[in-house]
Amino acid sequence: MALPEEPPAPRAPEPRDWTDEHVARWQPVLPALDPVVEGAVTRMKKLSVHFRRVREQSLVDFDLERHEFDTLHKLAGRGGSAAPSELAQDLDLAPASVSGRLDALEKRGFVRRTQSTTDRRRVVVELTASGRETWLGAMDVLGHEEYRLLGVLDPAERALLNDMLRRIMVEAESTDPGGGWHG
């Protein structure tokens, strides 16, 4: 004689966050509000704000202005060496603006300008060891926070989230092909 199966133990309710309360507050006001869409969009916005705050704090911690970090970041993205005109293009700035940035970064020991070995009329900007260390330090703060938060997901969930966000971005970019989607 078989023993009756025990019913499965009830699942603990998912913890609620600020957004759950936000959606609950607005649903009676806007009955057509899709709580799933509103929840996802609101959470993406709040995460974006959180990451921006972490990044800004890392700049304070490493005594960097936003424009200094951006310049070091673009230079590092070119392998640590670039012409000022390339940096101007990457930063979407006038060459004179980049020159001022490079002057300040050079005074701080974060970059050095040298003459090109192939064309003496050309200047090459190089990231110094100090500049690379400062840039990486600021980057690591944000990277650790990204891994901390996304670490609540297993690798398959992270891959799925990445794929779903890509599909959303492809749609967003298709309606604004030259737009302001790149960072």
Side-chain angles (χ1 to χ4, degrees):
M1 174 167 166
L3 296 174
E5 276 189 37
E6 287 191 37
R11 278 183 66 195
E14 288 289 323
R16 291 178 62 81
D17 65 1
W18 180 92
T19 300
D20 291 317
E21 302 306 321
H22 164 81
V23 171
R25 184 172 47 257
W26 281 100
Q27 271 193 298
V29 177
L30 300 169
L33 180 71
D34 182 329
V36 173
V37 171
E38 180 66 14
V41 170
T42 301
R43 287 180 177 97
M44 285 188 285
K45 285 181 192 174
K46 289 190 72 64
L47 280 170
S48 179
V49 167
H50 174 73
F51 286 134
R52 186 173 20 261
R53 285 182 183 144
V54 170
R55 182 186 63 228
E56 295 305 321
Q57 184 59 53
S58 76
L59 297 180
V60 169
D61 293 346
F62 284 87
D63 191 29
L64 282 172
E65 296 293 328
R66 178 79 189 147
H67 66 275
E68 291 174 319
F69 175 82
D70 290 345
T71 306
L72 295 174
H73 187 70
K74 296 299 185 183
L75 186 55
R78 286 189 168 268
S81 178
S85 60
E86 292 170 325
L87 290 174
Q89 183 179 11
D90 290 351
L91 293 163
D92 196 24
L93 292 172
S97 297
V98 171
S99 185
R101 285 185 181 196
L102 295 176
D103 289 343
L105 289 170
E106 197 166 32
K107 282 182 187 164
R108 294 189 68 186
F110 293 157
V111 302
R112 80 176 135 264
R113 289 183 266 202
T114 58
Q115 282 189 318
S116 169
T117 56
T118 57
D119 182 348
R120 295 179 86 44
R121 297 168 295 173
R122 191 166 174 234
V123 172
V124 175
V125 181
E126 297 173 329
L127 198 56
T128 65
S130 175
R132 179 173 296 286
E133 183 180 319
T134 301
W135 168 74
L136 278 174
M139 287 285 293
D140 282 349
V141 171
L142 183 56
H144 287 300
E145 184 64 0
E146 291 168 349
Y147 279 102
R148 183 183 78 82
L149 293 182
L150 291 175
V152 303
L153 304 175
D154 66 42
E157 289 171 322
R158 287 192 300 267
L160 179 60
L161 175 62
N162 186 49
D163 291 343
M164 290 187 298
L165 290 171
R166 179 183 301 107
R167 286 180 22 215
I168 293 167
M169 286 305 303
V170 165
E171 178 61 22
E173 290 171 350
S174 75
T175 60
D176 188 14
W181 291 107
H182 41 80

